[in-house]
Amino acid sequence: GQAWVDRGRIVQNAGGGIVVRNNGTLVLRNSFVGDGTNSANALTVDGGSADVLYSTLGASFENFGDVFPVFCSGNVTVSIRNSLLVSLDDGEEISCPMATVSNSASETLIPGTGNVALGDVGMTWFTDIAAGDFHLDNPPPMLDTTAVWEADDPSTDIDGDPRPNTDGTADYAGADVP
């Protein structure tokens, strides 16, 4: 199957966020995925492909451990750009060594072009992450220049707030422009 999610909120689901399996394809843009109250990955790709752009993915805010904003298994193709990946897990925010990640922010540095390490997640960064609200309230300063807008990227954020419209312009990583 195929799914295209644009400006969506897939949060507070007992089974986690999104699972892509068996050659499935996902395009995820300008979306919030995951939450802080279950022990499931925000995005799991198992034998499929995912293209993640300008999205905020969060998991494990109740400190479940071994839960990731992005988790992959099997033969996958995963691209993540201009996104924000956060969790309270003591390890990495992504368990997907074959993913291509660029101009994205996370607590630890993810290999790739233009990625930024923010340090330990601050619960005050978000409006109400435990309720699945990933709107930025008090974001870390470097988040506003992590993403790089490119032609054909979304012209607005998850709420319809404008993004840059000039190729190569610095922008907020994740789905929300505060």
Side-chain angles (χ1 to χ4, degrees):
Q2 298 178 351
W4 180 290
V5 181
D6 198 350
R7 293 175 60 188
R9 291 172 174 87
I10 301 171
V11 297
Q12 293 185 304
N13 297 305
I18 300 172
V19 178
V20 180
R21 286 194 177 119
N22 303 327
N23 296 316
T25 302
L26 169 69
V27 174
L28 181 70
R29 297 176 2 140
N30 263 343
S31 295
F32 297 153
V33 179
D35 73 23
T37 59
N38 65 39
S39 59
N41 300 312
L43 171 61
T44 299
V45 183
D46 181 8
S49 65
D51 185 9
V52 179
L53 177 63
Y54 276 116
S55 291
T56 302
L57 289 85
S60 191
F61 291 98
E62 294 295 326
N63 221 4
F64 288 104
D66 293 333
V67 177
F68 303 93
V70 180
F71 177 83
C72 300
S73 63
N75 186 19
V76 302
T77 303
V78 175
S79 172
I80 302 168
R81 187 167 62 84
N82 294 353
S83 293
L84 174 59
L85 312 173
V86 292
S87 74
L88 284 183
D89 192 343
D90 291 335
E92 304 290 322
E93 276 68 49
I94 182 171
S95 178
C96 188
M98 61 291 288
T100 301
V101 183
S102 61
N103 299 99
S104 293
S106 62
E107 294 169 79
T108 59
L109 186 61
I110 297 172
T113 304
N115 295 328
V116 172
L118 301 173
D120 290 339
V121 68
M123 300 306 272
T124 61
W125 295 356
F126 304 97
T127 300
D128 189 356
I129 204 155
D133 188 345
F134 293 104
H135 284 96
L136 294 171
D137 191 36
N138 185 26
M142 65 190 94
L143 195 59
D144 66 345
T145 58
T146 299
V148 177
W149 193 88
E150 295 179 6
D152 296 324
D153 281 354
S155 60
T156 63
D157 76 350
I158 192 167
D159 301 310
D161 296 327
R163 290 201 177 272
N165 60 5
T166 304
D167 199 35
T169 302
D171 192 14
Y172 274 92
D176 186 40
V177 174

